[in-house]
Amino acid sequence: MDPLTLLREYTIRNELHKIVRIGDDYRFGNDYSFPCTIETAYRSKHVQANRYTLETLINFITNHHLKHTDYIQQSRSLRIPAVTLPDRKPLLDYLTGKTASSDSIEFLKFPQPNETTVPVSVSAASLGNDENFLTDVRVLENRNPIELIRAVEKPLKDRESILMCKNRDFYSVFTAALRRDEERQRAESLQRKDGLVAKNRIERGGFGGGDELGYDGGPKAKMHLKGSKIGEGVPIILVPSAFSTLITIYNVKEFLEDGVFIPTDVKLKQMKGTKPDCITVQKKFSRDRVVTAYEVRDKPSALKAEDWDRVVAVFVLGKEWQFKDWPFKNHVEIFNKIVGFFLRFEDDSVESAKTAKQWNVKIISISKNKRHQDRAAALEVWEKLEEFMRSRSH
């Protein structure tokens, strides 16, 4: 699959979030992987006729909403070549599907034949002779680019030749594969068991009960907060209801459970039905056998007095009005009883976190484009939250 065609398909389907940069490669879901600096078929008309690389096109399509001057500065900060101003509109129209083709696209350029002939396959022997090669290419006119690529491919090995290795024993590979499969099945079994425990806790109305395990493996799961009574039940995490924040009730589950940040507007397009009043999240990417369930809510005004004793964390907006009508005297009391988090993009201005830096909250930065770094940010949240829970459990 040609990377330019594939990027266009992902753009049209609103699936750009599935393109993940891992090291020096871009992965398109689980199907394709290309080097970041691979040249695409889209040729610039204004920069010495150079072809744009894949990382240039991905950086452009994910930031095309920026003003051109801001986009140029952003590209320079990432050390990624930028799309020129005259190329922006025709390139955007092609990638978003407004136009079906462009004069700037040159998938493969072969000599034009003088006569029409019947397509034939290119033999491996002909690749060593330039004259034979051009002759075989001429007969492939009017074929699509993928067929042209396959025609000039020269297979080096197949699955049978790879398996024919002298003095090699694959028994150790076989046993290692069986062992990994057994470990995977055992882990899945434990995860199902832990999920059932968490579900039963919620259905019984909380974590109370003498024979239940707490989040730290103890006999009970009662939460003691300094300066307040014991809060029994599922701990609560509050998130803002405003769309101007990165974490909302729409995308918090994927971030905390899977370690993947998905923008709220993208999640809104994917979701069906009404907005949930409450969702449940668990720490899945952990080797711990005990799983703690948390409720996530975005309407503090709907909490009852006894519910506030269960609130353990809040994602802050960095705005004073977020805490209006909260049952606390000031920010000192709030962040003494509740652990706070402020999630921001790493290249945002310092002003965006100016207010949050005055509070006792954990500031966590994520990248706008490098989704493989989201897991580390989510782990920061879990580590701080679990540390806070341990300090309040006695």
Side-chain angles (χ1 to χ4, degrees):
M1 173 66 75
D2 172 72
L4 177 64
T5 304
L6 194 61
L7 177 60
R8 184 173 186 264
E9 292 179 0
Y10 271 64
T11 303
I12 294 173
R13 297 200 304 259
N14 287 325
E15 293 181 351
L16 289 175
H17 62 281
K18 293 184 179 181
I19 303 176
V20 180
R21 180 166 183 163
I22 300 179
D24 295 328
D25 296 323
Y26 276 112
R27 291 190 180 178
F28 289 71
N30 296 321
D31 300 325
Y32 299 95
S33 178
F34 299 98
C36 297
T37 55
I38 188 174
E39 290 187 344
T40 67
Y42 203 96
R43 187 183 295 276
S44 173
K45 293 183 178 180
H46 306 277
V47 185
Q48 300 177 353
N50 288 336
R51 294 177 182 269
Y52 286 123
T53 62
L54 181 59
E55 68 176 351
T56 292
L57 296 188
I58 292 179
N59 185 53
F60 166 70
I61 195 61
T62 54
N63 296 283
H64 68 85
H65 57 281
L66 297 177
K67 294 181 179 179
H68 190 66
T69 53
D70 296 337
Y71 162 68
I72 293 295
Q73 292 179 356
Q74 185 262 359
S75 299
R76 288 176 179 172
S77 66
L78 297 176
R79 296 182 179 179
I80 296 176
V83 173
T84 62
L85 180 60
D87 285 336
R88 280 179 63 108
K89 188 178 187 308
L91 176 57
L92 181 61
D93 289 345
Y94 174 73
L95 291 178
T96 56
K98 291 183 179 180
T99 57
S101 184
S102 172
D103 295 338
S104 299
I105 298 175
E106 299 178 11
F107 286 104
L108 286 174
K109 187 174 183 180
F110 294 103
Q112 294 297 321
N114 296 324
E115 57 183 6
T116 303
T117 53
V118 180
V120 297
S121 61
V122 177
S123 63
S126 69
L127 294 176
N129 186 297
D130 292 340
E131 183 177 351
N132 290 338
F133 173 75
L134 290 176
T135 301
D136 287 330
V137 168
R138 289 190 183 99
V139 300
L140 286 170
E141 79 157 337
N142 299 327
R143 305 300 297 271
N144 66 50
I146 302 302
E147 291 180 348
L148 291 174
I149 294 172
R150 289 175 178 170
V152 297
E153 285 180 347
K154 182 180 179 181
L156 300 177
K157 292 183 179 181
D158 57 21
R159 62 180 182 180
E160 293 183 1
S161 63
I162 290 176
L163 292 174
M164 295 176 63
C165 301
K166 295 181 179 180
N167 302 322
R168 290 291 181 90
D169 181 11
F170 287 95
Y171 180 74
S172 59
V173 178
F174 175 70
T175 55
L178 288 179
R179 184 167 58 253
R180 285 196 299 270
D181 188 58
E182 291 175 357
E183 292 175 354
R184 179 183 58 80
Q185 293 180 1
R186 190 180 305 113
E188 289 178 352
S189 176
L190 289 174
Q191 187 175 7
R192 286 194 296 268
K193 180 179 178 181
D194 294 337
L196 181 61
V197 170
K199 180 179 179 182
N200 289 339
R201 288 174 177 172
I202 296 173
E203 291 176 348
R204 287 200 295 267
F207 286 91
D211 58 345
E212 290 189 59
L213 290 176
Y215 67 90
D216 59 353
K220 288 187 177 181
K222 292 184 177 181
M223 182 178 58
H224 299 251
L225 297 181
K226 291 182 179 179
S228 68
K229 63 181 180 180
I230 298 174
E232 296 188 22
V234 183
I236 295 175
I237 300 174
L238 294 177
V239 297
S241 59
F243 281 10
S244 58
T245 184
L246 297 186
I247 291 297
T248 64
I249 200 168
Y250 295 99
N251 62 1
V252 66
K253 190 174 184 70
E254 284 78 10
F255 180 69
L256 291 182
E257 289 194 351
D258 304 323
V260 177
F261 172 76
I262 301 176
T264 297
D265 57 343
V266 176
K267 282 298 297 179
L268 278 173
K269 295 177 181 179
Q270 298 175 353
M271 290 183 63
K272 296 180 180 179
T274 59
K275 172 187 173 183
D277 293 328
C278 173
I279 63 172
T280 303
V281 298
Q282 301 175 22
K283 183 182 180 183
K284 290 185 176 180
F285 47 95
S286 172
R287 295 181 180 179
D288 300 334
R289 293 186 59 181
V290 179
V291 177
T292 304
Y294 293 83
E295 290 181 5
V296 180
R297 300 174 180 268
D298 68 347
K299 294 181 179 178
S301 59
L303 296 180
K304 300 177 181 178
E306 58 270 21
D307 293 333
W308 280 101
D309 296 323
R310 296 192 286 130
V311 176
V312 296
V314 58
F315 283 85
V316 301
L317 269 169
K319 307 291 184 181
E320 295 280 354
W321 53 262
Q322 181 182 2
F323 308 107
K324 183 181 179 181
D325 299 328
W326 281 37
F328 302 99
K329 296 179 182 178
N330 49 41
H331 297 113
V332 176
E333 183 181 4
I334 291 176
F335 298 118
N336 181 45
K337 297 180 178 180
I338 300 172
V339 61
F341 300 99
F342 181 74
L343 196 69
R344 64 187 293 271
F345 284 130
E346 59 187 6
D347 54 353
D348 280 350
S349 65
V350 178
E351 291 295 323
S352 63
K354 183 178 181 180
T355 304
K357 285 184 177 180
Q358 301 175 10
W359 304 336
N360 182 24
V361 301
K362 176 70 173 178
I363 298 177
I364 298 176
S365 300
I366 63 173
S367 171
K368 286 185 177 180
N369 303 308
K370 302 174 183 178
R371 297 279 66 84
H372 62 281
Q373 297 180 1
D374 295 341
R375 185 184 181 93
L379 279 173
E380 281 192 74
V381 175
W382 282 116
E383 290 172 0
K384 184 68 175 178
L385 177 57
E386 290 170 347
E387 177 187 351
F388 178 83
M389 294 287 285
R390 284 192 295 269
S391 69
R392 296 299 187 265
S393 64
H394 43 261

